[in-house]
Amino acid sequence: MMTPTPWRFATAFLASSVLALGLAACGGTTKGSAQASAAPARPAASSPAKADPNAPLKQGLKLAFLPKQINNPYLTLLDNAGIEAAKEFAGTAKEVGPSDASASSQISYINTLTQQGQDAILISANDANAVCGPLKQAMGKGIKIVAYDSDAAKDCRDLFINQAASEEVGRSQVKLLADLIGHKGDIAILSATANATNQNTWIGFMKDELTKPEYKDMKLVKVAYGDDDDQKSFQQTQGLLQAYPDLKGIISPTTVGISAAARYISGSKYKGRVVLTGLGTPNQMRQFVKDGTVRKFALWNPKDLGYLAAYAAAALSSGRITGAEGETFTAGRLGEKTIGEDGEIILGPPFTFEASNIDQFDF
Ligand code: RAM
């Protein structure tokens, strides 16, 4: 693992990006040295067969961000960064979306955005399949679909902008908790919704990691769902701790879940007895790190994720890329990005926050 200092944090992100935390200068160039790979391995879902790596980014592009829900501070950070990024290439972007993260809550928004004739819809999908039909209709009208944060089914989007390699996220969460509880005891997961593509992918890797011999004394007793709703996540934490009095640790791989769980634990008799880790934003977790409820948790730079998604949508809409594996494009200040297998672009590795570094971050 990298040393958790701001500089190393920046360095880690610099491998693929420049961290927008006042640590690095912010550029804005859109004309880069993007070049197509020789043989794209995967035809993109809705795109012309051939990319033109020298195509300039079109001006006046209309992008729409559709998060899982609009009242989630993490997703607000992403979308606002994407909206800012669009100004760099003379486009406009907006955020619309439901107030709950249920499977079907995004469908009417996709239909409206399609009618409006947006150039691209960027979606953090609440359910990989529930959004598929409406997204395909949008693609049929020439609208580019960029999934970010939480993927849609592969044939219903052109690209998926992933915050970090899913396997790395899932396995590293288990390692983090194991180290904190001495590789021993009952553990639980407090997730978001039962359909969330990103959480379910991470949990799959967590379960696989737990089959390794070094975790033989750890037992996953329950996966609970707080639906990325603060109150429900709070209550689910309470329920878990009452139902499993021997619980040693909880992983909550959602910023909504971990902050609600921390709030419950910090005011309960479980503080200091049950270890909580997961994925959180430094600003939401700061007080719980300071009061000793949480020692370590992880995340990436949400602003970079929204920024990258916006540039990817612009490159697609301009014909610079089609979504095929091996194509590259310049994502503004983040530099050159390459499309990987299944139309996935990975932002960078997760970073671990703790008392010694948390005050150096403000998001
Ligand atoms: C929540 C959402 C989001 C996830 C983060 C870590 O904000 O569930 O999809 O990526 O947590």
Side-chain angles (χ1 to χ4, degrees):
M1 271 311 268
M2 61 199 142
T3 311
T5 64
W7 173 243
R8 292 301 297 270
F9 185 22
T11 311
F13 278 86
L14 273 164
S16 59
S17 71
V18 175
L19 193 60
L21 299 174
L23 295 172
C26 182
T29 169
T30 58
K31 294 207 175 80
S33 54
Q35 282 171 9
S37 72
R42 164 190 169 274
S46 75
S47 307
K50 225 168 167 332
D52 175 3
N54 299 314
L57 289 188
K58 285 184 187 162
Q59 299 220 329
L61 288 172
K62 289 186 294 174
L63 313 183
F65 282 83
L66 178 48
K68 286 178 166 178
Q69 59 192 115
I70 49 165
N71 49 356
N72 173 336
Y74 167 83
L75 292 167
T76 303
L77 279 169
L78 261 69
D79 295 352
N80 284 345
I83 290 166
E84 281 303 304
K87 292 181 189 161
E88 293 181 9
F89 47 82
T92 55
K94 63 179 179 180
E95 182 200 54
V96 294
S99 56
D100 71 90
S102 62
S104 59
S105 62
Q106 294 171 309
I107 292 172
S108 61
Y109 291 90
I110 299 168
N111 292 337
T112 302
L113 294 171
T114 303
Q115 281 158 17
Q116 289 170 352
Q118 300 292 325
D119 289 296
I121 297 173
L122 299 95
I123 183 169
S124 169
N126 280 321
D127 182 300
N129 298 310
V131 292
C132 206
L135 288 180
K136 275 189 173 159
Q137 281 181 6
M139 290 169 118
K141 297 221 156 97
I143 298 173
K144 303 301 177 198
I145 308 297
V146 176
Y148 66 102
D149 177 52
S150 183
D151 204 1
K154 292 181 185 32
D155 58 335
C156 315
R157 51 72 169 163
D158 295 289
L159 288 175
F160 172 45
I161 315 300
N162 202 352
Q163 37 265 64
S166 301
E167 178 165 1
E168 187 179 2
V169 175
R171 295 194 192 283
S172 64
Q173 291 272 287
V174 170
K175 284 181 200 141
L176 201 53
L177 182 61
D179 286 345
L180 293 168
I181 64 170
H183 284 70
K184 209 175 167 134
D186 288 352
I187 64 164
I189 294 172
L190 173 68
S191 190
T193 63
N195 298 320
T197 326
N198 52 343
Q199 271 86 16
N200 284 347
T201 308
W202 297 329
I203 291 169
F205 285 113
M206 288 181 207
K207 288 180 174 168
D208 189 71
E209 181 70 13
L210 284 166
T211 62
K212 292 183 180 171
E214 61 257 47
Y215 307 110
K216 66 178 179 352
D217 296 326
M218 282 169 64
K219 187 176 167 212
L220 177 63
V221 293
K222 175 91 176 165
V223 180
Y225 298 95
D227 290 347
D228 268 353
D229 175 90
D230 177 75
Q231 273 311 309
K232 187 168 179 200
S233 302
F234 186 89
Q235 287 155 7
Q236 288 291 315
T237 308
Q238 185 177 28
L240 276 175
L241 292 164
Q242 282 168 359
Y244 302 96
D246 292 332
L247 209 59
K248 291 286 180 291
I250 298 175
I251 298 174
S252 187
T254 142
T255 59
V256 180
I258 193 175
S259 55
R263 199 170 75 249
Y264 175 74
I265 293 173
S266 72
S268 78
K269 63 180 180 187
Y270 302 102
K271 184 176 168 190
R273 287 171 44 197
V274 175
V275 172
L276 172 66
T277 190
L279 301 173
T281 66
N283 286 358
Q284 283 189 289
M285 297 305 291
R286 192 177 326 277
Q287 73 179 103
F288 305 115
V289 170
K290 303 250 167 183
D291 78 3
T293 304
V294 173
R295 279 182 55 203
K296 296 184 183 196
F297 65 96
L299 202 71
W300 35 82
N301 187 329
K303 293 180 187 170
D304 282 355
L305 186 61
Y307 183 93
L308 174 56
Y311 267 92
L316 267 177
S317 300
S318 304
R320 188 176 277 198
I321 55 174
T322 66
E325 185 177 353
E327 290 174 351
T328 61
F329 64 100
T330 301
R333 63 176 160 78
L334 300 181
E336 191 170 91
K337 292 284 164 188
T338 304
I339 301 175
E341 206 182 332
D342 289 329
E344 185 172 323
I345 301 172
I346 294 174
L347 178 67
F351 175 77
T352 302
F353 298 89
E354 54 192 314
S356 62
N357 63 29
I358 195 163
D359 279 342
Q360 284 137 16
F361 302 101
D362 182 17
F363 59 83

